[in-house]
Amino acid sequence: MSSKSKFKNVKGTRDILPEEAIRWQKIENIIRKKMEQYNFQEVRFPTFEATDLFRKSTGESTDIVRKEMFTFEDMGGRSLTLKPEGTPSVVRMFLQHGLFNKGALQKFYYIERMFRQERPQKGRYREFRQFGAEVIGSSSAESDVELVKSALDIFNELDIKDVELNINSIGCPRCRKNFIKEFKGFLKEKLSGLCEDCNRRYAENPMRILDCKRDKKKIKGAPVPSDFLCDECKEHFEEFKNRLDFLNIKFNIDNRLVRGLDYYTKTVFEFVNSNLGSQNEVGGGGRYDELIKFMGGEDTPASGYAVGIDRLMLLLKEEEEKLGVDVYIVTFDEESDAEGWKILNGLRDAGFSCDKDPMRRTVKAQFREADRQNAKWVIIIGEDERKRGIVQLKNMGKGEQKEIPMKTGKIVKELKC
Ligand code: ATP
Ligand code: MG
């Protein structure tokens, strides 16, 4: 077969081939297990949503909405967008399905694909995967710590070291007013020297100027939100830090860490790992006490986070993953092949991964295939075995071979020993 195809996957998307898919399965299993230990319930949501959902909840002035969304019209002229993040859909589901009626506190997690039109590079793709968790209904710093710990536990189980936790508090809309006033005053004179984005942010979303990479030096000494926290926000942040301390979770306070929109409140955090180079953020999150009301619900506090799984993959130790079956069946002739096929189906029914050659290739080719499949056992059936009503069962690890009656039940019993 020619190795060249006319088609290639689209820039910024990734093919995950069998060996790598095994690693993805492992990560996903760890995420699910951990999330369930924390009593987060899984939700799955559609690949695309009405564009307005993201415009309103992700926010018109964010990079995601301004330049990264895959937006298209359906045949009815409705504007749709491939989901670039999870929180808007989770909140929509929570409101649309009246999940608030099920209890004052709801804890969700998801593992989903996200889509953003960004310049593809290492750790930055146009289609990527995130896992995330959202706690809806709790205003407590305990929930923020619970979220942080759940992500750290997952990094730990994956043996990913050196993940740093940066935290900050950006206050509530009340204390933020004072910050914004002072901050804008500070920036007024400097504005002409700042980048185009920051000039736009000055009008739409000034807090975001604090994390502009280009203008970092130029705004040194600027006021920061944490200087303006009201008593309630201060206390909340103290409790957040105390509970992290209690669990021996190390953190850095980065008083420039922000999330740009009004409905983000109090706690913000991010996980970074310097081994990732310039795309060093593994995940991030925070409290969004104002979002649910903003989206038409009752006043409901909430917080959450999202972690990029593709970036986690880059941090995993390279371990060779082996494809494999429990049993491979090798047959010598047509009649043996029919017996082998019955045993194949019997063993699959009994819960073993099992395979054989459907093309009746040579015995040599079948053994080669058993090897390629890393079979733990090989069952061999030829004319002699058939006549004697047995199969040869070879334990590939030990190199031992045994004769077993040609009955699925007997073979299963032997395999389970
Ligand atoms: P960055 O600053 O790297 O653009 P972000 O602030 O846009 O990140 P979030 O929206 O907070 O990221 O998404 C959470 C996580 O999702 C990120 O920390 C990252 O691990 C992952 N992520 C975001 N965008 C991409 C992408 N284009 N490709 C792969 N992973 C991504
Ligand atoms: Mg981004």
Side-chain angles (χ1 to χ4, degrees), residues 64 68 84-85 116 118 123-130 208 213 259 271 278-285 306-311:
I64 292 181
E68 297 174 2
E85 60 156 343
R116 298 184 192 177
E118 303 196 72
R124 193 176 292 290
Y125 313 102
R126 293 187 167 180
E127 180 186 33
F128 59 100
R129 293 128 197 105
Q130 285 185 336
R208 200 87 226 198
K213 293 196 177 83
R259 309 199 84 182
F271 304 104
S278 54
Q279 267 61 255
N280 68 350
E281 194 194 303
V282 180
V307 167
I309 311 180
D310 303 71
R311 285 190 199 171

Side-chain angles (χ1 to χ4, degrees), residues 323-329 344 347-356 373-377 415:
L323 297 169
V325 287
D326 296 327
V327 188
Y328 198 86
I329 298 173
L344 170 77
L347 289 180
R348 284 177 179 168
D349 286 347
F352 290 92
S353 67
C354 185
D355 218 345
K356 71 179 270 298
Q373 300 287 344
N374 293 301
K376 292 188 200 115
W377 289 281
L415 292 176

Side-chain angles (χ1 to χ4, degrees), residues 68-82:
E68 297 174 2
M69 294 203 302
F70 279 99
T71 296
F72 57 98
E73 268 189 15
D74 70 5
M75 284 197 247
R78 279 171 290 261
S79 180
L80 303 175
T81 293
L82 302 184

Side-chain angles (χ1 to χ4, degrees), residues 241-335:
K241 289 184 290 187
N242 288 339
R243 283 182 186 261
L244 290 173
D245 280 336
F246 184 83
L247 295 178
N248 284 321
I249 297 174
K250 302 233 168 344
F251 57 84
N252 315 305
I253 299 178
D254 175 355
N255 57 23
R256 288 189 172 205
L257 182 65
V258 293
R259 309 199 84 182
L261 297 158
D262 279 353
Y263 40 75
Y264 288 116
T265 50
K266 296 180 174 150
T267 317
V268 285
F269 56 87
E270 65 174 14
F271 304 104
V272 294
N273 182 302
S274 52
N275 301 334
L276 282 171
S278 54
Q279 267 61 255
N280 68 350
E281 194 194 303
V282 180
R287 184 156 276 289
Y288 49 94
D289 285 347
E290 307 287 323
L291 177 62
I292 295 171
K293 189 171 59 184
F294 181 80
M295 284 175 68
E298 297 282 320
D299 204 354
T300 312
S303 59
Y305 71 85
V307 167
I309 311 180
D310 303 71
R311 285 190 199 171
L312 284 187
M313 288 294 284
L314 295 172
L315 294 171
L316 279 187
K317 278 199 221 89
E318 282 288 336
E319 274 172 33
E320 204 197 331
E321 301 292 352
K322 282 195 167 173
L323 297 169
V325 287
D326 296 327
V327 188
Y328 198 86
I329 298 173
V330 172
T331 59
F332 277 65
D333 56 276
E334 201 168 327
E335 274 175 61

Side-chain angles (χ1 to χ4, degrees), residues 125-274:
Y125 313 102
R126 293 187 167 180
E127 180 186 33
F128 59 100
R129 293 128 197 105
Q130 285 185 336
F131 74 88
E134 317 282 352
V135 176
I136 302 186
S138 161
S139 59
S140 165
E142 180 184 328
S143 298
D144 300 351
V145 175
E146 178 181 46
L147 286 161
V148 166
K149 179 77 163 56
S150 68
L152 291 174
D153 278 2
I154 289 170
F155 304 151
N156 239 339
E157 283 241 345
L158 291 169
D159 207 18
I160 294 176
K161 302 264 168 12
D162 313 320
V163 176
E164 292 208 25
L165 168 66
N166 298 326
I167 65 167
N168 193 22
S169 174
I170 55 171
C172 61
R174 290 167 295 285
C175 44
R176 194 164 319 138
K177 266 197 204 112
N178 300 328
F179 159 69
I180 296 286
K181 203 164 134 213
E182 287 285 317
F183 188 50
K184 280 188 135 177
F186 172 91
L187 290 173
K188 206 158 188 179
E189 313 248 286
K190 301 186 162 48
L191 211 53
S192 55
L194 301 187
C195 71
E196 203 180 299
D197 278 345
C198 282
N199 272 274
R200 188 181 37 77
R201 289 177 186 132
Y202 186 79
E204 291 173 2
N205 191 357
M207 191 159 63
R208 200 87 226 198
I209 295 177
L210 276 178
D211 73 349
C212 176
K213 293 196 177 83
R214 271 181 289 177
D215 291 336
K216 209 171 179 173
K217 289 208 179 95
K218 295 185 191 149
I219 58 164
K220 227 176 163 184
V224 289
S226 53
D227 294 340
F228 295 83
L229 298 185
C230 63
D231 287 347
E232 190 200 318
C233 289
K234 242 187 237 163
E235 235 170 75
H236 197 275
F237 195 41
E238 284 308 306
E239 199 189 337
F240 180 57
K241 289 184 290 187
N242 288 339
R243 283 182 186 261
L244 290 173
D245 280 336
F246 184 83
L247 295 178
N248 284 321
I249 297 174
K250 302 233 168 344
F251 57 84
N252 315 305
I253 299 178
D254 175 355
N255 57 23
R256 288 189 172 205
L257 182 65
V258 293
R259 309 199 84 182
L261 297 158
D262 279 353
Y263 40 75
Y264 288 116
T265 50
K266 296 180 174 150
T267 317
V268 285
F269 56 87
E270 65 174 14
F271 304 104
V272 294
N273 182 302
S274 52

